[in-house]
Amino acid sequence: MNGLDHMWVLICACFVFFMQAGFVCYEVGFVQSKNVISVAIENIIAFVVAALSFFLVGFAFMFGKTSLGLIGTNHWFLSNLNSNYDYVFIFYQMMFAGTSVTIFSGSMSERTKLKALVIAAVIVGTIIYPVFGHWVWGGVYMGQPTLLSHLGYTDYAGATVIHSTAGWIALAGTIVVGPRKDRWDKDGKPKRLLRSNIPFATLGTFILWFSWFGFNGGNLLRFEDKIGLILLNTNFAASAGVIGAVVTTYILAKDQSMMESIFSGALGGLVAITAGSDILTPVQSIFVGFLTGSTVVLGSLVLMKLKIDDTVNAVPIHAFGGTCGVILCGAFQSTEALTTGRTHHILIQILGAGINFVWAFGVGFLMFYLIKKTVGIRVSEEEEEKGLNIVEFSDYNSWMQHIQEKRYENLTQDLNETIEKQNIILKRQAYVLAATQEKEREKIARDLHDGVGQSLVALKINLGLIHNSTKDEALKEQTSKTIKLADSTIEEIRNVMYNLKPVGLNQDGLAKSIRNLCNKLNEIGSIRFNCKIDDHLPRWDETVEMNIYRIIQESLTNIIKHSGGTEAYVNMLILNDKIILLRISDNGSGFDISSVSRGIGLNSIRERADMISAALFIESEKGVGTRIIMEVPYEKNQGIFG
């Protein structure tokens, strides 16, 4: 290697270091504002831990002289290096180690203790990442065969070595720590938690995209013509990843955020092409990016189904994206670059990805489980509610914001409770008023029957006696007319009594009473009433049923008096488990609703609908007819009156 090669690798290492800024912006944009300080500081601490861990034992385990192809055994504390170039190589690899350690903490944000993440970062930086890295890259520094490289497993710049390793650790961590508070509702449906700053997440995505040119370009460890191909493939895969994610979201997951698919698709494509950006053509890199973008979206849906809460979608992006990348790059790799048959190579790639999962997820799960059982991994529910800015770092501004939010929440809650209480009082008053009105109507009906009705019957009997006993023809004719008038008056009183208290409503139920009303009107009128009532209507409180019946009765009376039509329809059915639908229509002359405010019972109908919290719609068109539609909330009325 010459000086230009050294300079290129160092510049690319700085690019990779700049990824830390991208991770901070991306993760901070996706978490709630009460946790942004915590997430930012966690990223700094994670990188510090990774750098020191790599210095102490990480480099030795990863690039030292191999023992059985499983682990390095020398170069502790960066001792016994071969030349000054080694420091360039170590600096570049240290940036890779920092990336691997940083990724998993984002998935566990907003509910994980800082000390738990620090302990995990130490273990990942000293054991989990370097050991698997040795299996794949252990021969890069000393030219020796190791577990997976000896089999022919290829991973150019760390799709699995760095990204899938971190992604599977993130999966283990999210399972052990559990989902954030209020991430799913009582019915198991996901809830969208607030994000602090999506433009900031967009900036983070662009920083990561930019830094990835150094991530892939530098791993060639020399400056040559192939650099252009590597950078082009990197960019094409990210772009195609966005398209793949958006298309998949549009086709299969329209209820998911298109915005998230853009971020995830770009990063997923970048992760995948890391496996083979040095050996693929631009067209092949587009296919890899597109397919990985789709895989990332599908992976997110699977995690959602399993109720695994990944705050920044790191598991689909890094774990699924990296695994997809090494397999697809094996499938698309040119025949000239293959040392074995294509099928054999793909199987080796699948084997390597499987070993990566077993190692990273298995050890990661054990690590987080032991942390949980010893020092604890999750903050309390109250601390999570306050936010980790306050809990971990006692941030004054976050305290003030928390106090203001709690004050607002308490004020809103008190106001809602007051409104709810007033609504209950008003409903009860309406109920009492309706019940009182019905009692008064019953009393009037009883007085009519016992007083005026009985007197008219007695008068009719006496008139009959006079009619039969008199010889005066003029008197007979007069008594006959008076008897007919008495009969007519008695019938009118009966109609009034029926209107005041429908006979059989309590006994027969609402459905049968409505049918009886329609049948009676069919007998005495010229309008044909077609009645279709669901046989399985719920039983409401007596007052609710009375109001529904009155609305129907007044509507039909209006049709008889004012419509001039020949046919009317009454339909009442169960729309769903919450709404009963009533529809009354006629083919009469119609009228202008805006010009009619009283005289045909519309105000009374509206008042009754309001009393039972029903939605009422009245439509009328001249020459066509009138239609009344009412939606009666069954559950609501059950709660108020039942």
Side-chain angles (χ1 to χ4, degrees):
M1 294 182 67
N2 55 40
L4 182 61
D5 294 333
H6 292 184
M7 179 64 71
W8 170 248
V9 174
L10 287 173
I11 291 173
C12 288
C14 293
F15 271 57
V16 178
F17 176 72
F18 193 47
M19 292 181 81
Q20 300 298 326
F23 284 127
V24 171
C25 291
Y26 180 80
E27 293 174 11
V28 162
F30 269 92
V31 301
Q32 299 172 83
S33 58
K34 62 184 179 181
N35 296 305
V36 293
I37 294 174
S38 172
V39 169
I41 299 300
E42 283 169 5
N43 277 269
I44 294 177
I45 294 174
F47 181 80
V48 169
V49 169
L52 295 176
S53 299
F54 197 74
F55 162 74
L56 294 173
V57 297
F59 181 80
F61 281 154
M62 191 164 179
F63 295 105
K65 184 178 179 180
T66 188
S67 175
L68 303 176
L70 298 176
I71 193 167
T73 58
N74 64 346
H75 299 306
W76 310 107
F77 305 101
L78 306 183
S79 61
N80 302 319
L81 301 178
N82 299 326
S83 66
N84 287 336
Y85 159 72
D86 293 358
Y87 292 113
V88 175
F89 178 76
I90 291 167
F91 181 68
Y92 183 76
Q93 292 297 331
M94 186 179 290
M95 298 304 104
F96 272 9
T99 301
S100 181
V101 173
T102 302
I103 290 170
F104 72 85
S105 63
S107 292
M108 304 167 65
S109 298
E110 301 198 282
R111 73 274 202 197
T112 309
K113 292 180 178 180
L114 178 61
K115 61 183 177 181
L117 291 174
V118 171
I119 294 171
V122 171
I123 297 172
V124 172
T126 56
I127 299 174
I128 301 178
Y129 168 69
V131 170
F132 186 79
H134 183 80
W135 298 346
V136 182
W137 291 345
V140 173
Y141 181 65
M142 299 188 67
Q144 58 190 354
T146 54
L147 179 64
L148 290 175
S149 65
H150 178 68
L151 296 175
Y153 181 77
T154 58
D155 184 358
Y156 166 65
T160 52
V161 174
I162 297 171
H163 296 283
S164 289
T165 297
W168 296 129
I169 294 170
L171 177 62
T174 54
I175 291 173
V176 174
V177 76
R180 287 167 289 175
K181 182 177 179 289
D182 298 327
R183 184 64 180 89
W184 279 270
D185 61 21
K186 61 181 181 180
D187 298 323
K189 295 180 180 178
K191 295 168 63 178
R192 295 191 182 278
L193 300 181
L194 296 175
R195 283 79 174 266
S196 65
N197 197 324
I198 292 302
F200 220 53
T202 305
L203 175 62
T205 302
F206 272 120
I207 291 174
L208 290 170
W209 196 326
F210 171 77
S211 301
W212 229 286
F213 297 135
F215 199 96
N216 288 349
N219 206 55
L220 197 62
L221 300 179
R222 59 187 181 276
F223 189 77
E224 62 174 51
D225 294 344
K226 189 181 281 190
I227 296 297
L229 175 66
I230 292 172
L231 301 189
L232 271 177
N233 286 343
T234 302
N235 191 65
F236 285 146
S239 302
V242 172
I243 303 301
V246 169
V247 169
T248 304
T249 300
Y250 180 79
I251 295 174
L252 300 178
K254 292 186 178 180
D255 58 334
Q256 300 299 310
S257 171
M258 195 68 72
M259 171 191 68
E260 291 181 14
S261 69
I262 293 173
F263 296 137
S264 299
L267 297 179
L270 290 167
V271 168
I273 201 62
T274 303
S277 57
D278 63 326
I279 57 175
L280 299 181
T281 66
V283 173
Q284 290 169 337
S285 69
I286 290 173
F287 277 109
V288 169
F290 184 90
L291 294 173
T292 304
S294 298
T295 301
V296 168
V297 171
L298 296 175
S300 300
L301 295 177
V302 170
L303 293 186
M304 200 74 71
K305 286 287 185 183
L306 297 175
K307 292 185 172 56
I308 296 175
D309 182 17
D310 182 350
T311 307
V312 296
N313 218 29
V315 175
I317 291 171
H318 297 278
F320 300 161
T323 301
C324 193
V326 293
I327 295 172
L328 288 175
C329 288
F332 287 121
Q333 190 171 347
S334 65
T335 306
E336 295 77 13
L338 292 172
T339 57
T340 62
R342 185 172 302 278
T343 302
H344 180 267
H345 183 62
I346 293 174
L347 292 175
I348 291 296
Q349 295 295 93
I350 294 173
L351 174 64
I355 291 173
N356 175 250
F357 167 75
V358 172
W359 169 255
F361 179 80
V363 179
F365 189 87
L366 178 62
M367 171 186 70
F368 285 120
Y369 180 79
L370 292 176
I371 292 173
K372 179 179 180 180
K373 292 299 181 182
T374 52
V375 300
I377 193 171
R378 183 170 184 141
V379 299
S380 67
E381 191 170 304
E382 181 182 356
E383 290 173 331
E384 186 178 350
E385 184 71 27
K386 288 180 181 178
L388 301 189
N389 294 351
I390 297 171
V391 174
E392 300 284 5
F393 301 101
S394 302
D395 179 62
Y396 172 78
N397 291 329
S398 297
W399 260 114
M400 296 303 297
Q401 183 178 353
H402 175 69
I403 292 171
Q404 291 175 355
E405 288 176 353
K406 292 301 292 184
R407 186 178 299 164
Y408 175 78
E409 288 175 5
N410 293 335
L411 179 63
T412 304
Q413 185 177 359
D414 292 342
L415 182 60
N416 287 336
E417 289 177 356
T418 301
I419 293 173
E420 188 175 346
K421 288 177 181 178
Q422 289 298 322
N423 282 336
I424 292 173
I425 292 172
L426 289 173
K427 294 292 184 183
R428 287 175 178 170
Q429 289 175 344
Y431 170 73
V432 171
L433 177 61
T436 302
Q437 289 176 339
E438 292 305 322
K439 291 295 183 183
E440 288 297 322
R441 286 190 173 110
E442 288 182 21
K443 183 177 182 300
I444 293 171
R446 189 168 55 251
D447 290 344
L448 281 172
H449 179 271
D450 296 343
V452 179
Q454 294 296 335
S455 298
L456 284 172
V457 171
L459 176 61
K460 179 182 173 183
I461 293 171
N462 289 330
L463 287 171
L465 293 173
I466 294 171
H467 179 274
N468 293 331
S469 62
T470 184
K471 302 288 187 180
D472 188 339
E473 291 299 325
L475 182 58
K476 277 189 175 186
E477 183 179 354
Q478 186 63 38
T479 54
S480 294
K481 290 181 180 180
T482 306
I483 290 172
K484 289 180 181 179
L485 180 60
D487 285 335
S488 176
T489 305
I490 291 171
E491 184 62 28
E492 285 293 329
I493 290 175
R494 284 175 180 167
N495 289 336
V496 171
M497 290 171 60
Y498 183 78
N499 289 336
L500 290 171
K501 181 64 178 179
V503 178
L505 182 58
N506 291 337
Q507 182 178 0
D508 297 334
L510 183 61
K512 188 174 180 180
S513 296
I514 296 172
R515 291 193 189 97
N516 291 339
L517 175 62
C518 291
N519 292 336
K520 181 179 179 182
L521 294 175
N522 281 331
E523 293 174 0
I524 64 174
S526 59
I527 299 177
R528 176 64 184 171
F529 289 92
N530 301 284
C531 188
K532 187 177 181 181
I533 310 296
D534 196 308
D535 290 325
H536 302 289
L537 288 179
R539 286 307 302 263
W540 282 284
D541 179 273
E542 177 186 351
T543 306
V544 177
E545 291 192 343
M546 177 63 73
N547 277 295
I548 295 173
Y549 183 86
R550 293 293 187 205
I551 290 171
I552 297 172
Q553 186 182 51
E554 291 181 22
S555 300
L556 299 185
T557 302
N558 285 336
I559 291 173
I560 294 172
K561 291 181 178 179
H562 306 292
S563 73
T566 59
E567 202 160 14
Y569 299 88
V570 180
N571 297 311
M572 194 168 186
L573 53 89
I574 299 174
L575 187 63
N576 53 47
D577 60 352
K578 296 181 180 180
I579 299 294
I580 307 299
L581 182 67
L582 170 64
R583 186 178 185 275
I584 303 170
S585 61
D586 65 64
N587 63 350
S589 58
F591 61 94
D592 183 2
I593 296 177
S594 61
S595 64
V596 177
S597 60
R598 60 180 64 249
I600 59 173
L602 293 184
N603 288 338
S604 174
I605 291 172
R606 291 191 178 103
E607 288 172 2
R608 290 185 182 278
D610 289 340
M611 289 174 64
I612 58 175
S613 302
L616 182 68
F617 308 94
I618 302 176
E619 302 172 353
S620 187
E621 184 179 349
K622 290 185 176 181
V624 176
T626 303
R627 182 173 60 179
I628 297 175
I629 298 174
M630 187 170 71
E631 295 179 354
V632 185
Y634 171 50
E635 285 190 346
K636 194 171 185 179
N637 281 317
Q638 284 287 89
I640 297 170
F641 302 115

